Amino acid sequence: MVSFKTLLTAGLLASSAVALPHALQHRHVEKRSSSKRGAAYNDASAVKALSSNGSISWAYDWNMLAMGSLPSGVEFVPMLWGSKMFGGWLTAIETALASGSTYILGFNEPDNSAQANMSPSEAAKAYKQYITPFSGKAKLVSPGVTNSGSPGQGLDWMNSFLESCTDCGISDLAVHWYGDSADDFKTFVNQATSFASEKGLESVWITEFALNSDISGGSSSQSAQFLSEVLPWLDSQSMVSRYAYFMCADNYLLSGNGLTSAGQIYTS
């Protein structure tokens, strides 16, 4: 969406969160190994605020480099954002894989002219060249598309891409969602999981999602209510394997040295 491109280069800062009650810590340590929850970040040090109780198992920063040290137990997932990263990709991805990364994310919103901006055929060609060679060394995730229902965007773009990328070694589908209600979010996720099943993909990653109101004004009580409803639902969906709320940054999931109300729900 229009605002996060700016956020990617903003270098937003946040520090560690205060400790949560022991009962919450105990519960989350138990589920660490199966957590679907991730952190979408710009500043690696900020991830500590979300991960201190074991609720976060992975993180990414729209980049092929972690740009800092993530907390222990949080897997970095590299992304080949788009053509601007092709030059340094091979060295970066080898480093990430050697450091323990087990997945690779494809391009960022290639169906969006303000983001990676690639046609399905262009994206398929680039995916085969830069990402498919690492099949077997990591599991490969598709480009992350928007939830637009317009022709040539969203799942329609993805359908064309997959038709051109039948031999790309992709195991999982990545999607984004921005909207106004939990019901709309669930409807879209159900569409995405049905689509993934039809295409023979293993699961769906929702690598960005938030209310439209979050993007314009940051986290709010509405965000917390939304997360209270959708997080248990996401965790119950067998075809959803990973997700990351937008985003691990001040005024979103973080507030100075601690968590916003939405951040508290996200780590509960």
Side-chain angles (χ1 to χ4, degrees), residues 135-186:
S135 178
K137 296 182 179 180
K139 299 192 76 171
L140 311 183
V141 185
S142 78
V145 293
T146 69
N147 58 303
S148 172
S150 299
Q153 296 182 322
L155 294 178
D156 184 61
W157 183 99
M158 184 62 70
N159 186 61
S160 297
F161 167 80
L162 291 175
E163 288 178 348
S164 298
C165 219
T166 55
D167 55 348
C168 288
I170 295 170
S171 64
D172 302 274
L173 172 70
V175 295
H176 296 170
W177 179 88
Y178 292 91
D180 298 315
S181 74
D183 286 344
D184 287 348
F185 174 70
K186 292 176 184 178

Side-chain angles (χ1 to χ4, degrees), residues 35-105:
S35 176
K36 301 178 181 184
R37 218 159 290 184
Y41 71 93
N42 287 327
D43 176 16
S45 66
V47 177
K48 185 177 180 181
L50 291 184
S51 67
S52 60
N53 65 357
S55 60
I56 302 300
S57 64
W58 67 283
Y60 83 106
D61 60 349
W62 297 272
N63 202 333
M64 54 192 176
L65 303 170
M67 304 302 289
S69 297
L70 291 172
S72 176
V74 176
E75 177 189 0
F76 173 65
V77 181
M79 169 187 277
L80 180 53
W81 189 94
S83 60
K84 69 181 183 181
M85 290 187 178
F86 289 170
W89 172 248
L90 295 179
T91 298
I93 191 57
E94 290 287 5
T95 298
L97 296 177
S99 299
S101 296
T102 59
Y103 289 90
I104 300 172
L105 290 169

Side-chain angles (χ1 to χ4, degrees), residues 188-222:
F188 174 71
V189 173
N190 283 332
Q191 291 172 345
T193 56
S194 294
F195 177 87
S197 294
E198 292 169 2
K199 296 297 183 180
L201 300 176
E202 295 178 9
S203 73
V204 172
W205 291 37
I206 309 157
T207 49
E208 287 181 37
F209 72 106
L211 293 173
N212 284 326
S213 57
D214 290 354
I215 302 306
S216 58
S219 177
S220 66
S221 59
Q222 184 182 5

